[in-house]
Amino acid sequence: MSIGNETNQNPWEGYYGPNYGYIQEQYELFKQNPETVTSEYRDLFARFGEPPAYTAGQTAAAPQTVGAASIDAKTLQNLVAAGKLVWNIRAFGHLAADIDPLDIGPKSNTKMLSPETYGITKTDLLALPAELVWTNAPSDVANAWEAIQKLLKAYTGTLAFEFSHVHDEAERAWLKKRVERQLPSASLNKEERKKLLVKLFEAEQFEDFLQRTFVGQKRFSVEGNDVLVALVDELVHELSNDGVSQIAMGMAHRGRLNILAHVLGKPYTKIFSEFYNSPNKKLIPSEGSIGINYGWTGDVKYHLGANRSFKTGETVETRITLANNPSHLEFVNPVVGGFARAAQDDRSKPGYPVTNLDSAASIIMHGDAAFPGEGIVAETLNIAQLKGYTSGGTLHVIVNNRIGFTTESHDSRSTQYASDVAKGYEIPIVHVNADDPEACIFAARMASEYRTLFKKDFLIDLIGYRKYGHNETDDPETTQPLIYKKVRAHATVSTIYSDRLIAAGVITEAEVAELKQGVVDRLKSAYDEVKARDGQEPVHQTQGLQGEKDNATSVSPVSIETLQSINAELLRFPDSFTVYPKLQKILERRTNALNEGEKLDWGHAETLAFATILADGKPIRLSGQDVERATFAHRNLVLHDAVTGDTFCPLHELPHAKASFAIHNSPLSEAAVLGFEYGYNVHAPETMVIWEAQYGDFTNVAQVLIDQFISAGRSKWSQKSSIVMLLPHGYEGQGPEHSSARLERFLQLSGEENWTVANLTSAAQYYHILRRQASITESEAARPLIIMAPKSLIRNPRVASSASELSNGSFKLVVEQPNLGSKPERVERLILCTGKIAIDLEDAIEKEQEKDLDWLHIIRVEQLYPFPEKEIAEIIARFPQLKEIVWVQEEPKNMGSWHYADPRIRALAPAGTSVSYIGRPERSSTASGFQQVHAFEQQHIILQTLKHSPSLTYNSGR
């Protein structure tokens, strides 16, 4: 019956017989979740409410028949009840599923899966046609009872499913068909089963060999979830068969060595070398460890990544990249997302990059305690479908061993499953028993097919156990005695599966023994090879990153004529585009800014830097919260039509551009977005990748990415990045969370020339440092760039620069204060400072023009790290009467640059010259929350700096 009677006084008159039972079933579903019924039914129920119930003796509006037989009220009630049962089997069958190998989890209430709960019996169900409760039921299913049994078998086996939270009707229909019609008849052929058994032997015997051979060494065994290796290998080959040419993978340490060996093909000899010589590192770690024999301090073997290329046919070649990952388990997730997106983007033409989601994919393996426990997981899931960050779906595997370090599930999460976080992002979830290898293979195939079809994430919850403690030296029975009593008595998955194949006549015991021995022999042979060459491959450690020459000191200038041509194009808009009037006036001021006598502000210089970089053929990717407009509304690179709301980006239409320009407003996330941008840059080193914080302080939230990846990735893993971080910094009285980008932390992490840290004072300096940074991408000189970006200085006229400073100048490591130091023999005090405080001092000096300041000179340290010792030393040498060098800053004494600069200045100070500090005293909070207090302190710093007296230094600290 159609839904065509909505205009009738009684819309239910058109429903009778089975159709009436069906409409009642749909209403029950509607009450639980309106999204589970079609839009027509949602409109019907919203307008007319609940269909009336029919009681015994009451006559329906139309004959209630199925064929020639009439249907009474009891039959209708049975039909509705059966419909509820079917819906609950699909939604909650997982609660009764056989997905716990050790049977150690709490038992769920499964009454909702029993017909008795709904007041129906087997006899009742036998009387109902199957198609009334199961649309498109298989032809061999004759009645509702058989339908219920088939569905229970499909949803409560060693594979369990959760997808009722997926809103898209087409996706749900595909998932139901896959579970109910295709998986029950799926099977592996004989050769596939033998191959799967060999994979299980490889995983198990590899771990067993390491356990016996390298006693007491940590490896974070995968045992208990051995089938992970076969599952991931299947995902890789399924994706490759679908045409994916690059696969990015991420995982924590558990099982990593096994994945390296048996999915990425890292030779046993390389892995054994890392164990065999680990106390004294006689051997280079391995080529498969991303070349860490160059400029490395190294990392433990179970943090290292690798690359592998393979072919699944004659023409398709797939490259797998396993990302390096520290022990901050889940923080590699967004990095892997960045890898995948970078592989999908074609950046060779102007405009946004052209993204092919079919060309690359990502696989991430998670821990069951870390997946719900670490917020970076939810952040990464959240960006998965956003325009600027999607990579067409990630295949997630929770390597679920039911224990996090020593903590059991009831202490580590508030949810039924470790996977429940994914439900909020409409990600289908399959729970699978790790002791059923074939079920794991089916889950892998379902996941990869879903990703290929719908370009969305899919999650496999692989439920096993952990054979040993957190590591192989740990005794887990001190905290989980009952669990490990079961573990000790439990057969390994290779034994379970080989017995199953023998019983099925697929393989003989002799063949099983032969396959197993073949794996063992390969392991022994590799180990013997490592022993035979012991001591023959000494470590080739270089002098490190500092030994590399910076090839970015010379950057080609851009002529004034080219800048003027570019500027004119940037101010050209489509005829039909209506720029917001207030903004149009601001942009029109840029028309003559390159003329003689005029100046460019910070935002204008940035736009010209971007434009010239694109003209040089260098792609740019810029993201962060509000970057299209910018937090301080100085950028406005994406304009919004004041009438239609359409958008327009001048850099996308720039005739001079020879590469793409991507600009994306990010979600309210620092860690996931910064990790994504870092991963993008590592995978696409030719791209100038820029991340801007809304306020510099907010990098606190991304500290793990900064500490573990951006600052140390090159040293640990020889992983080069030239990412730019723009961190608004400066004391304007806005309070603790809007003042400091925690400059001191970046300086504390500085070493081996691992990055550049800058705090600039002019638009021209910003223009030149961006162009300098663009020139070093893809080179050995590539380093991250950390810029303490301005806030109030963005529109300060003292920061503006002339066109000639852009066209003729270059980046200066230090800048001397104009009109000071002209009489070197009279200079007694030399001020060193950086960033906004230098502009505050310049403003104060101009107001004191009548005063004699020949005794004073000021140096702005524009690049803090690497510290410009040579340039500062040359300036100091010009002043023979120098009595003191003072570091002036607006940050508290225990923050900012003082403790970093102090020893470096003392090393340069001439004998008899004091080194001291002017600034705020030591504080626990970065800034005052009171404007009056801030203003008083700031003025006091300025006065003390410009005060000429024998006791010159203001040092409020002890």
Side-chain angles (χ1 to χ4, degrees):
M1 182 66 198
S2 68
I3 312 174
N5 295 319
E6 292 186 38
T7 58
N8 296 347
Q9 187 66 30
N10 180 5
W12 314 117
E13 291 179 355
Y15 296 93
Y16 50 85
N19 289 326
Y20 196 80
Y22 179 74
I23 201 68
Q24 288 183 310
E25 176 191 359
Q26 291 298 300
Y27 184 74
E28 292 298 321
L29 295 177
F30 173 79
K31 285 199 300 183
Q32 296 182 51
N33 182 359
E35 296 297 327
T36 59
V37 302
T38 64
S39 59
E40 291 87 354
Y41 282 128
R42 286 199 297 272
D43 294 342
L44 181 66
F45 297 140
R47 185 174 178 185
F48 294 102
E50 180 178 7
Y54 287 97
T55 58
Q58 186 175 2
T59 304
Q64 300 173 338
T65 60
V66 176
S70 63
I71 295 182
D72 58 19
K74 175 60 177 172
T75 302
L76 290 177
Q77 291 173 353
N78 290 345
L79 192 59
V80 172
K84 290 180 182 178
L85 175 57
V86 167
W87 193 92
N88 282 329
I89 288 172
R90 287 170 171 156
F92 302 109
H94 56 87
L95 297 176
D98 178 19
I99 54 176
D100 186 353
L102 296 182
D103 194 27
I104 59 176
K107 301 300 178 186
S108 299
N109 186 333
T110 58
K111 288 178 63 178
M112 66 183 73
L113 306 178
S114 171
E116 290 76 14
T117 301
Y118 307 93
I120 51 175
T121 65
K122 179 178 179 180
T123 302
D124 296 331
L125 293 169
L126 286 169
L128 296 175
E131 63 269 16
L132 294 184
V133 298
W134 183 1
T135 306
N136 299 320
S139 58
D140 61 341
V141 179
N143 53 62
W145 172 257
E146 291 183 10
I148 297 298
Q149 300 312 303
K150 285 267 190 181
L151 290 172
L152 280 170
K153 185 176 180 181
Y155 284 96
T156 65
T158 53
L159 279 168
F161 307 91
E162 291 187 271
F163 52 76
S164 60
H165 55 277
V166 176
H167 293 167
D168 186 272
E169 196 170 334
E171 291 178 41
R172 283 202 315 276
W174 183 90
L175 291 163
K176 283 197 292 187
K177 182 179 179 181
R178 200 77 162 79
V179 173
E180 298 170 10
R181 299 296 299 271
Q182 295 176 351
L183 281 179
S185 61
S187 63
L188 301 182
N189 62 38
K190 184 175 180 178
E191 289 307 310
E192 287 176 322
R193 288 174 168 176
K194 283 187 176 181
K195 178 184 174 184
L196 177 54
L197 181 59
V198 170
K199 277 290 179 187
L200 295 176
F201 280 143
E202 287 176 341
E204 177 189 279
Q205 293 305 310
F206 174 77
E207 300 286 5
D208 184 67
F209 188 85
L210 292 177
Q211 177 73 3
R212 290 183 289 103
T213 307
F214 304 105
V215 179
Q217 290 204 39
K218 297 178 184 179
R219 69 179 191 279
F220 299 98
S221 159
V222 76
E223 290 161 287
N225 268 304
D226 312 58
V227 74
L228 172 71
V229 176
L231 187 154
V232 173
D233 191 61
E234 187 70 18
L235 290 175
V236 165
H237 283 87
E238 286 293 308
L239 291 171
S240 180
N241 288 336
D242 288 335
V244 170
S245 61
Q246 296 200 53
I247 299 173
M249 292 171 52
M251 67 183 301
H253 43 273
R254 187 162 307 284
R256 191 179 188 91
L257 295 177
N258 223 311
I259 293 292
L260 282 167
H262 300 119
V263 177
L264 283 101
K266 183 174 181 177
Y268 290 150
T269 53
K270 299 291 186 180
I271 296 173
F272 293 162
S273 293
E274 292 167 0
F275 276 96
Y276 190 71
N277 297 281
S278 59
N280 53 23
K281 291 188 186 290
K282 291 180 183 177
L283 298 180
I284 295 170
S286 82
E287 186 178 350
S289 300
I290 313 289
I292 63 172
N293 57 319
Y294 182 81
W296 65 290
T297 55
D299 202 348
V300 291
K301 47 194 161 289
Y302 37 80
H303 289 173
L304 302 177
N307 295 300
R308 174 197 173 195
S309 293
F310 68 96
K311 286 187 178 181
T312 56
E314 292 299 317
T315 57
V316 177
E317 180 172 289
T318 301
R319 180 172 178 81
I320 317 173
T321 300
L322 176 63
N324 302 289
N325 191 29
S327 283
H328 297 69
L329 311 173
E330 300 290 336
F331 277 82
V332 76
N333 297 359
V335 176
V336 170
F339 280 10
R341 179 58 179 265
Q344 295 167 344
D345 281 352
D346 179 357
R347 296 168 289 275
S348 61
K349 297 178 181 178
Y352 280 106
V354 177
T355 305
N356 178 7
L357 297 178
D358 292 318
S359 64
S362 52
I363 301 170
I364 301 179
M365 288 150 274
H366 310 269
D368 58 293
F371 192 81
E374 295 191 7
I376 190 69
V377 174
E379 283 194 42
T380 306
L381 295 178
N382 182 57
I383 67 176
Q385 290 298 311
L386 302 183
K387 180 180 67 173
Y389 308 92
T390 184
S391 58
T394 294
L395 301 180
H396 301 271
V397 181
I398 295 179
V399 188
N400 194 337
N401 57 41
R402 317 299 295 278
I403 299 174
F405 197 67
T406 66
T407 304
E408 295 177 46
S409 300
H410 57 76
D411 287 324
S412 66
R413 64 174 187 266
S414 299
T415 56
Q416 173 81 17
Y417 298 112
S419 56
D420 283 350
V421 173
K423 289 182 181 178
Y425 301 95
E426 299 187 45
I427 298 171
I429 299 166
V430 174
H431 308 280
V432 59
N433 190 319
D435 274 356
D436 187 348
E438 291 190 19
C440 295
I441 297 301
F442 298 148
R445 291 176 179 178
M446 182 179 180
S448 58
E449 188 176 349
Y450 177 88
R451 189 266 172 196
T452 299
L453 285 173
F454 299 107
K455 303 295 183 291
K456 284 181 60 181
D457 290 22
F458 194 100
L459 190 150
I460 298 172
D461 182 17
L462 178 65
I463 303 174
Y465 56 91
R466 190 179 70 192
K467 183 175 180 179
Y468 299 104
H470 174 67
N471 61 63
E472 289 68 33
T473 65
D474 175 48
D475 181 5
E477 296 193 48
T478 60
T479 48
Q480 279 82 28
L482 299 182
I483 291 176
Y484 276 88
K485 185 176 181 180
K486 287 191 172 187
V487 170
R488 304 300 180 218
H490 194 74
T492 64
V493 65
S494 66
T495 300
I496 293 170
Y497 190 56
S498 58
D499 289 348
R500 175 178 162 186
L501 295 186
I502 291 169
V506 175
I507 198 169
T508 66
E509 289 187 25
E511 288 176 308
V512 168
E514 183 181 357
L515 290 175
K516 183 175 181 179
Q517 190 59 46
V519 172
V520 173
D521 289 345
R522 291 197 297 275
L523 290 163
K524 287 181 177 179
S525 176
Y527 181 64
D528 290 341
E529 182 182 337
V530 171
K531 286 177 64 179
R533 69 180 188 217
D534 181 22
Q536 297 179 19
E537 298 181 44
V539 168
H540 291 223
Q541 187 130 359
T542 72
Q543 59 182 327
L545 306 182
Q546 289 175 319
E548 299 172 14
K549 298 296 184 183
D550 186 341
N551 63 1
T553 54
S554 178
V555 182
S556 300
V558 180
S559 69
I560 187 65
E561 292 77 18
T562 300
L563 287 173
Q564 289 172 336
S565 172
I566 287 173
N567 192 57
E569 293 294 339
L570 292 173
L571 297 171
R572 197 186 305 277
F573 310 113
D575 294 337
S576 60
F577 193 87
T578 306
V579 181
Y580 178 57
K582 182 178 177 182
L583 180 58
Q584 185 170 9
K585 291 179 181 179
I586 295 172
L587 294 175
E588 285 175 352
R589 293 177 198 156
R590 296 182 175 183
T591 305
N592 301 318
L594 291 167
N595 294 346
E596 189 172 348
E598 301 292 336
K599 289 196 172 183
L600 304 89
D601 62 18
W602 189 273
H604 194 180
E606 179 189 70
T607 302
L608 289 174
F610 290 164
T612 59
I613 291 167
L614 294 173
D616 290 337
K618 183 74 63 177
I620 298 173
R621 177 182 167 91
L622 169 63
S623 83
Q625 295 153 19
D626 313 302
V627 294
E628 292 183 358
R629 187 198 73 174
T631 302
F632 308 104
H634 71 278
R635 182 170 293 127
N636 294 298
L637 282 180
V638 177
L639 306 176
H640 294 257
D641 190 298
V643 176
T644 66
D646 294 340
T647 59
F648 173 74
C649 178
L651 286 173
H652 288 162
E653 302 298 327
L654 183 67
H656 306 71
K658 299 183 182 69
S660 66
F661 178 73
I663 180 168
H664 298 288
N665 285 339
S666 77
L668 197 65
S669 161
E670 286 80 32
V673 173
L674 181 57
F676 186 98
E677 301 305 339
Y678 172 80
Y680 194 105
N681 183 233
V682 168
H683 196 88
E686 79 283 3
T687 308
M688 187 177 188
V689 176
I690 305 169
W691 176 74
E692 183 177 66
Q694 192 173 55
Y695 282 89
D697 309 61
F698 300 167
T699 53
N700 287 346
V701 185
Q703 202 63 46
V704 172
L705 273 304
I706 296 166
D707 289 358
Q708 298 298 326
F709 290 88
I710 297 174
S711 71
R714 181 160 187 160
S715 179
K716 292 191 294 186
W717 310 313
S718 194
Q719 187 164 281
K720 292 192 286 292
S721 169
S722 59
I723 189 170
V724 179
M725 294 175 61
L726 302 178
L727 310 178
H729 176 90
Y731 282 56
E732 283 92 7
Q734 294 191 62
E737 277 69 62
H738 295 88
S739 296
S740 173
R742 306 313 301 247
L743 171 59
E744 65 279 357
R745 294 182 181 173
F746 293 95
L747 295 176
Q748 185 182 40
L749 290 168
S750 298
E752 300 181 282
E753 297 189 9
N754 58 328
W755 54 21
T756 300
V757 181
N759 196 6
L760 312 176
T761 59
S762 79
Q765 283 283 84
Y766 183 45
Y767 169 89
H768 288 301
I769 202 170
L770 288 176
R771 287 188 48 77
R772 186 183 76 165
Q773 185 70 6
S775 75
I776 66 173
T777 61
E778 296 183 90
S779 74
E780 284 302 319
R783 301 284 191 281
L785 171 61
I786 315 300
I787 296 182
M788 300 291 109
K791 302 198 297 288
S792 63
L793 295 191
I794 285 173
R795 294 179 175 84
N796 191 314
R798 296 189 183 279
V799 174
S801 302
S802 65
S804 62
E805 290 177 278
L806 271 62
S807 61
N808 298 328
S810 62
F811 180 70
K812 300 174 183 177
L813 303 181
V814 298
V815 173
E816 297 184 60
Q817 178 64 41
N819 304 318
L820 285 184
S822 58
K823 298 178 181 179
E825 68 283 354
R826 296 188 60 186
V827 173
E828 298 179 359
R829 171 184 282 182
L830 180 63
I831 299 296
L832 297 181
C833 58
T834 186
K836 175 179 168 291
I837 192 70
I839 303 302
D840 290 348
L841 288 171
E842 181 179 277
D843 186 63
I845 288 170
E846 188 171 295
K847 292 175 181 177
E848 299 189 5
Q849 288 181 347
E850 303 301 321
K851 289 189 177 181
D852 177 11
L853 295 177
D854 288 345
W855 54 275
L856 178 70
H857 193 45
I858 298 176
I859 301 175
R860 304 177 186 178
V861 183
E862 302 281 293
Q863 177 178 292
L864 287 159
Y865 185 82
F867 194 68
E869 296 177 2
K870 175 176 174 289
E871 290 74 12
I872 294 174
E874 289 174 352
I875 295 172
I876 291 174
R878 300 206 316 258
F879 307 121
Q881 303 301 319
L882 196 62
K883 294 180 179 179
E884 62 172 349
I885 302 175
V886 183
W887 182 267
V888 177
Q889 67 180 36
E890 53 188 1
E891 301 89 352
K893 188 177 183 181
N894 56 322
M895 304 175 197
S897 311
W898 164 242
H899 287 299
Y900 163 81
D902 180 23
R904 290 166 173 80
I905 297 171
R906 291 184 189 278
L908 300 175
T913 302
S914 67
V915 175
S916 54
Y917 164 86
I918 293 178
R920 288 173 170 84
E922 292 182 351
R923 295 247 170 89
S924 58
S925 178
T926 54
S928 171
F930 299 99
Q931 178 66 41
Q932 287 180 319
V933 173
H934 162 77
F936 172 79
E937 290 180 336
Q938 199 79 355
Q939 186 60 26
H940 190 65
I941 292 170
I942 301 297
L943 290 174
Q944 291 296 317
T945 303
L946 303 181
K947 181 181 178 182
H948 188 201
S949 68
S951 55
L952 293 167
T953 305
Y954 167 65
N955 190 341
S956 298
R958 294 186 179 180

